[in-house]
Structure formats: structure tokens, C-alpha cells
Amino acid sequence: MAPSAAEHTATAEQFAAPEQQREAAFLGMWTFLATEIMLFGGLFFGIAVYRWLHPDAVREASQHLYKSIGGINTAVLLASSLAVALAVLSGREGDRRSAVRNLLVGAGLGLAFLGIKAYEYYLDYSEGLMPGVGPKPFPLPPDSELFINAYFFATGIHAARADRGWRAGGPCPTPGDRIAAAGSAHRDRDRRALLALRRHRLDFSFPVLYLVGG
Amino acid sequence: MSTATERLALERAGYVTACYTLRSWLLTTDHKRIAILYMLAITGFFFIGGAAAALIRIELFSPTGVFLSNDGYNKAFTMHSVVMVWLFLIPSIPTTFGNFLIPIMIGAKDLAFPRLNLLSWYIFMLGGLFVLYALVAGGVDTGWTFYTPYSTLFSNSYVAAAALGIFITGFSSILTGLNFIVTIHKLRAPGMGWFRLRLFVWSHYATSVILVLATPVLALSLALNIAERVFGIGIFDPRLGGDPLLWQHLFWFYSHPAVYIMILPSMAVISELISAFAQNRIFGYRFVAYSSIAIASIGFLVWGHHMFVSGQSMWASITFSFLSFLVAVPSAVKVYNWTATLYKGQVMIKAPLLYAIGFIGLFVVGGITGLFLASLAIDVHVTDTYFVIAHFHYIMVGAAVSAYFGALHFWWPKMTGRMYPEGWGIASALLIFLGFTLTFFPQFVLGYLGMPRRYHLYDPQFQVLNVLSSAGALVLAAAYLIPLTYFLWSLRWGARASDNPWGADGLEWTIASPPPKHNFAQTPVITRDPYQYPLKEGT
């Protein structure tokens, strides 16, 4: 479908053509994702060093994590990614209703992810695993504590950023939204593709912590 | 019809006169106005950091101290370094001149993401306010490196607030770098191939890559530091199996490339100044362009040279030493090329050129002493002494701040439409060079003789050199205040600047001073390489 006259006029003034605007937004989003890889990369590097220094402690600690909940949550996250990707496809085909429905499913699954995560944190709390708070003392050998703490730190940051992913485009714009918005005020489908890109990277980093114990 | 005429007039008006309200500045998305917002902010931070430096140098007049307690001295040098590194040097040239000039130099109307650009200024200000809060509420005493375990387990100062402030400003850096990368890739005017870009743009591209790839690592490291301090998660705490040295690795993985974030934009400026005032084509354009990329790439692999005495393996140290020598090669390429550009040029002695020549001299001294420090055996002798202080001030102040002032003088007529008084410009350039040398050269000697950094009480044998250094600092302080005064004066009383007062080549000199809101009435079409001196009429 060729861009309409209205779409042309909606091109931001710094761009010569809608295509240039679209390319810029995609390059911006990929660059933004590269920064995210570097952000989590430092953390995973630290955890890898720790895994190498204290293999037994990490193995024991990771056995205390709820792999089933982590597994379900990974599935929920990937399913929600799929829904968002389908929304992008529907958008490309011009099926607006289906795009909106898929986006809602994606957002709903995202909320489900946060709910399940909260339940898992509650179980961890009851076991005394949370740093500094809880009804019981830390139940594992002391050198496992660091791994558990790193787990809370990493999943906490992940959940916070996943939450921002859900709210993307909402009333409180994040830098990622700004880039997505720059992509295509005039074309919803590009905007969705950009937001979807942003979402997917969160999902693939998620299971690492559960599996590090091997 | 009249509205169309009004709109046309508005289009042609300079970006400053287009609208005068405060709101029009605080909500602007014009890259030129955002550059000015940054300039105001970092000028403020520069003088705050400078005031802390004055405290340090006054204290060091006497071997027994003058007026600061041990604790007060720790806080003074931390305030100086944190403010200068994170709130002045890292944003300095990219956010002001980069923001103002990159779109114009590539023939674009603005950066790719103008609102993101404004957002990054607000993020910067928010982070800056956190840092200032930490400094005013009670100060921080860890030095700018926040070494663990001191910063996480022992310091009783406002470490978390300062670290949070720097964490926040990091996102501003990331967004600026991202904006530059996308702009340089996607918004170049028709005909503007990669090798028709100005070297200013090349260097900023290399800087942006570092900003985007290194800053997130710093952000995460600071988040870990805060989590360690507040919740005791243990990642840097040996009692829980963590390792304090991990902090040094993570910190320097960012902070050594950060040195190149500070110096590459300075090199960008110097290439422009030298070629404009020599009226000569830049010698070895492609070598200079690629050397920026080489510095950005190799710069990621040298962080371990900060850790030669931290107990790292000898083989790691040898590797880092070799790579540190290697990164000096592209820097040397630039110096040779600048010098060769001056050769047989029609050299005009003006203030910007004096800053550029000062830059080259000080950068060479700073760079070569960097090689001393990259040599394993010498580093053991001078680690944590004034030798290191002198070395990095030659790079970060002697070179980077000189380049910033050179850029200010060179592009001031373009940014404001006013000329600064040339005589005062030349005098202050000379005075800055003299004041700088008097301040920092004695510190090489002090360090080599064994005076350690970060102490305010010292052996009386070091007093003469310390007094020389402190006297130099006073000269330097005065020399920095002179340009502040005459730049402000020039805004009202300076002569009107023509479109191209220096007879320089480049798109920014083809448009009005100050530039109109959208830079170009029509998108320029580029048909030739840059730096085609001598300029012909109509080019």
C-alpha cells in the first residue's frame, strides 16, 4: 500500500521522505538494543565469573529457584512476544482489528508474567531467600547467598524493564518510545514492529539465570 | 498571504531570534538551541568543578595543609573529579558543538530524533542535580573511581546519591550517541558520501560508538555498586564470595574508553581548526578518519593498564601494556597529519589556532607520559603519584579543555553572530597555556620524586614544586575567567560576524551567522570533497 498524502505530510521535518524516517527509526532501535545487550552483558559477565569461582555454591543455589515457575514464565513471555509479532504481521496486512487484539493479548500475557513473577518472589520471601527481609534466616550455605542476590538484582531489573516494555507508548514515554514514535507517527505498523523488537530482546535473556546451575 | 510571509520571515530568522520565550527554549527540539542549553549547563558545572580545584591547590600551598580537614580534602578532590569528568568533560564537546554542528555539517535540518535530544538534556540535568545534591548534602570521599570495597562497605559519605546521579547522566550520553549514529548514517545530504564527511563528524561517530557500547556497562556497574551499598548483595564483598577487583574491571572497561569519549571530540575540533587556519587541505584525510575508528576500537581493550599493581596476572599485564602502546599509534598518526597540514599552509595566527597548537604540544606530552605509564616497570614506581595526575591532566585539561576553548572561539561567531575581541582571545590562549604548564609540569617531577596523590599533608621537600603548581592554578583560573567575560561582552558589543569570518570551508560557513531555524533553505547537494583550500568564489 503506497503511503497516502496524509502520511507524507506526517513525516517529521528533519526527514526528506517517509522511507528515510522509517530506516532511521529502525537503526535507532537496533542501536538501542545494542546498549541493552551491553547493559546486561556486564551483569552476566559478573555472574559467569562467580559461577566459575564457586561452582558448587551456584549449583546448590540455583536448585532452590523454581525452575517450573521460571519455565512457565519463559513460555508466557515468549507467547506474549509471539502475540506482539503477530500484531506486527496483522498490521502489515492492514488488519487493524486483529492487530489490536494481538497487542492486547501480548499486554495481557505481559501482566501475567509480572503476576507470576510476584508470586515467585513471594515464595522466595517465605523461604528467607530475599536479601535483608523475610520470616526466616537465609537457609543455604553462606557462599550461595551471592548468587541468590544476583538473581534478585537481575530479575528485578529485567522485570522493571519488561514493565516499561508493556507501558511503551503510554502516557509516560521512555527513550525507546521516543525512537519508536519517531519511526512512524504516520504508520502504526512500523511503530508496532519497533516496539516488538524492543520486547523480544527481553525474553531471550530471561531463562539464563535458572539454567546457570547446569 | 500575510501568514505565509510571516512564516517565511520566521524561517529566515536566526534560531535565537525566532522566539524569545523561556518556554520556547525549555521545550525546544532545535539541535542548535539544545546545544546552547547544554553549553549553559556545562559552563556552570565547569566553574563548580573549578572551584573545588581551587580549594585543592590552595590547601597544597603548605605541607601541613591550610584550612581543610583530612575528610574535607577527600571530599574536595572527589567533588572536583566527579563534576569535571562526568558533568563537564564527557558531555562537553559532543553535546554542545556536536549537537550544534553535526546536522549542519552533513546538510541536515536536525538530528534524527530531536525530541530524544531534548529528553537527553533533561536526563543530564536530573543526573547533575543528584550529583550536586550528594556534594551539598555532605559530600563524597571516594574519588571519582568509587573503588570497592571502600565505596560499598566503609565510606560514610553520600556515595549512593552520587552514583545514582552518574547512572542517570549515563543514559543521557547513550541517547546522544545513539542520535549521532543514526543521524550520520541516515540524514546525510545527497552526495555526502562517507569520505566527504568532515573529520569532525568522523571523530564524533567514533565517540558515539563508544558512548553507546561502553556507557551501559558503567550504568550497570553503578547499579551494582548501589545495590551492594544499600542491600549488601555481596558482588564486591569477599565475605559473600564476591570480588572487589570485579569493580575495577567493570569500571575501567567503561572509564578507559571514556578517556577517548573526552579526547576524540577534541581531536575532531583540532582537525577543523588546523585546516581552516592553515588554509590547507588536511594531510592524509583517510588516515585521520580511520585513526578515530582505530582509537575507538583498541580503546576498549586497554582497561587493564589501570590495574598493573592490583594483583592481575603478569600475562594479562603484558597484554594490556602492549595494547596500550598500540593505541598510541593512531593518536600519533593524527599529530603527524596535523603538523603536516600546517606545513606550507597560509597560516593565520588567530586565537583558535593558538588553542590548537597548544593542544598539540600538551597532547604530545600527555600522550608520551601515557606510554611511560603503560610500561610495566615504570608504572610500579609512579602508580598513584602526582605523575599520574599530571599525565591525565595534560590529556583532559591541557588537550581536551584547550580544544573546547578553541572550538568556542572558532564557532562562536557562527553560534551567536558576534565576533569576540581577537586581542583578548590571543592573550587568554597564551595565558591558559602558561598557567596550565606552570600548574601541571611540576607535578610530573613531584610524582617521579614519590609524592602520592590524594594526600593534603606532604613532606616539606615537595613544597617549592607544590607552590609553583598552586601559583599556576591561580593563573589558570584567571585565564579561564577572561574568556567568560569577553564572550558575554561580545553578545552585546561584539562586531557582527559575517557568514564566513575565517574564510573556512564547510557547510556551516555557507549559511547565515547565527544559522536560521532549519539550517538550509534548500537541502544542499554535495559535489566535492571537504577541505578544498584555497576556497574559490561560490564554493
Side-chain angles (χ1 to χ4, degrees), chain B residues 311-329:
Chain B
Q312 111 190 318
S313 98
M314 181 181 74
W315 299 108
S317 291
I318 290 172
T319 310
F320 282 121
S321 171
F322 171 76
L323 289 165
S324 307
F325 273 85
L326 196 64
V327 79
V329 175

Side-chain angles (χ1 to χ4, degrees), chain A residues 13-15 20 23-25 27-28 31-32 35 38-39 42-43 45-46 50 54 142 145-146 149 153 175 178-179 182, chain B residues 109 111-116 174-175 178 182 185-187 212-213 216-217 220 223-224 227 233-235 240-242 518:
Chain A
E13 61 189 14
Q14 70 273 29
F15 297 107
Q20 187 188 31
E23 285 177 14
L27 179 63
T31 312
F32 187 67
T35 71
M38 294 305 287
L39 186 87
L43 185 60
F45 170 75
Y50 183 65
H54 308 280
E145 194 174 345
L146 173 52
N149 290 346
F153 182 81
R178 280 264 173 260
I179 299 169
Chain B
K109 285 182 183 158
L111 289 171
F113 308 118
R115 281 190 292 173
L116 196 69
I174 290 171
L175 297 179
L178 185 151
V182 176
H185 269 280
K186 295 294 175 193
L187 263 62
V212 162
L213 294 182
V217 179
L220 185 101
L224 281 172
I233 63 168
I235 190 119
L240 288 175
H518 289 119

Side-chain angles (χ1 to χ4, degrees), chain A residues 115-130:
Chain A
I116 296 171
K117 192 80 224 161
Y119 175 65
E120 187 186 14
Y121 275 174
Y122 172 73
L123 293 180
D124 294 334
Y125 167 83
S126 314
E127 259 197 88
L129 289 175
M130 269 198 179

Side-chain angles (χ1 to χ4, degrees), chain B residues 186-243:
Chain B
K186 295 294 175 193
L187 263 62
R188 302 194 308 274
M192 178 69 85
W194 280 90
F195 292 105
R196 283 182 176 167
L197 288 175
R198 302 269 290 282
L199 291 166
F200 183 92
V201 180
W202 268 100
S203 268
H204 272 83
Y205 185 78
T207 310
S208 304
V209 170
I210 308 178
L211 283 170
V212 162
L213 294 182
T215 318
V217 179
L218 175 80
L220 185 101
S221 313
L222 288 166
L224 281 172
N225 191 308
I226 295 168
E228 173 87 42
R229 195 173 159 82
V230 178
F231 302 109
I233 63 168
I235 190 119
F236 306 122
D237 182 355
R239 288 175 305 182
L240 288 175
D243 190 342

Side-chain angles (χ1 to χ4, degrees), chain B residues 23-232:
Chain B
R23 184 187 154 86
S24 76
W25 278 91
L26 292 179
L27 295 179
T28 183
T29 52
D30 182 345
H31 65 104
K32 300 178 287 297
R33 283 191 166 203
I34 294 171
I36 301 295
L37 291 177
Y38 267 115
M39 188 177 277
L40 292 172
I42 67 168
T43 304
F45 289 128
F46 179 74
F47 283 99
I48 293 173
L55 289 182
I56 295 169
R57 284 318 319 174
I58 293 169
E59 178 70 7
L60 291 173
F61 260 116
S62 156
T64 52
V66 177
F67 60 103
L68 289 174
S69 63
N70 294 346
D71 219 24
Y73 185 76
N74 292 343
K75 287 176 179 170
F77 72 68
T78 302
M79 176 168 166
H80 166 66
S81 54
V82 166
V83 170
M84 283 301 200
V85 170
W86 272 297
L87 303 181
F88 176 73
L89 282 167
I90 286 181
S92 61
I93 292 175
T95 60
T96 54
F97 298 103
N99 251 334
F100 197 99
L101 293 164
I102 286 174
I104 303 180
M105 284 181 174
I106 65 171
K109 285 182 183 158
D110 205 320
L111 289 171
F113 308 118
R115 281 190 292 173
L116 196 69
N117 197 18
L118 181 65
L119 181 66
S120 76
W121 183 75
Y122 278 102
I123 294 175
F124 175 70
M125 294 308 288
L126 180 69
L129 289 177
F130 264 98
V131 172
L132 286 187
Y133 161 76
L135 299 174
V136 173
V140 183
D141 63 354
T142 59
W144 73 286
T145 51
F146 296 105
Y147 267 20
T148 54
Y150 182 71
S151 65
T152 44
L153 291 178
F154 302 105
S155 173
N156 286 320
S157 56
Y158 287 73
V159 177
L164 184 62
I166 297 164
F167 174 84
I168 295 170
T169 58
F171 288 95
S172 156
S173 292
I174 290 171
L175 297 179
T176 301
L178 185 151
N179 225 335
F180 286 174
I181 288 175
V182 176
T183 304
I184 295 168
H185 269 280
K186 295 294 175 193
L187 263 62
R188 302 194 308 274
M192 178 69 85
W194 280 90
F195 292 105
R196 283 182 176 167
L197 288 175
R198 302 269 290 282
L199 291 166
F200 183 92
V201 180
W202 268 100
S203 268
H204 272 83
Y205 185 78
T207 310
S208 304
V209 170
I210 308 178
L211 283 170
V212 162
L213 294 182
T215 318
V217 179
L218 175 80
L220 185 101
S221 313
L222 288 166
L224 281 172
N225 191 308
I226 295 168
E228 173 87 42
R229 195 173 159 82
V230 178
F231 302 109

Side-chain angles (χ1 to χ4, degrees), chain A residues 44-62:
Chain A
F44 288 156
F45 170 75
I47 291 172
V49 170
Y50 183 65
R51 168 81 176 80
W52 178 64
L53 288 176
H54 308 280
D56 297 334
V58 170
R59 196 171 299 127
E60 176 156 2
S62 78

Side-chain angles (χ1 to χ4, degrees), chain A residues 29-42 44 157-158 161-162 164 176 198 201-202 205, chain B residues 171 174 212-213 216-217 220:
Chain A
M29 187 54 78
W30 279 110
T31 312
F32 187 67
L33 296 186
T35 71
E36 299 268 310
I37 291 170
M38 294 305 287
L39 186 87
F40 282 98
F44 288 156
I157 286 192
H158 177 264
R161 298 187 78 80
R164 293 207 335 200
R198 213 168 144 219
R201 73 86 179 74
L202 286 162
S205 60
Chain B
F171 288 95
I174 290 171
V212 162
L213 294 182
V217 179
L220 185 101

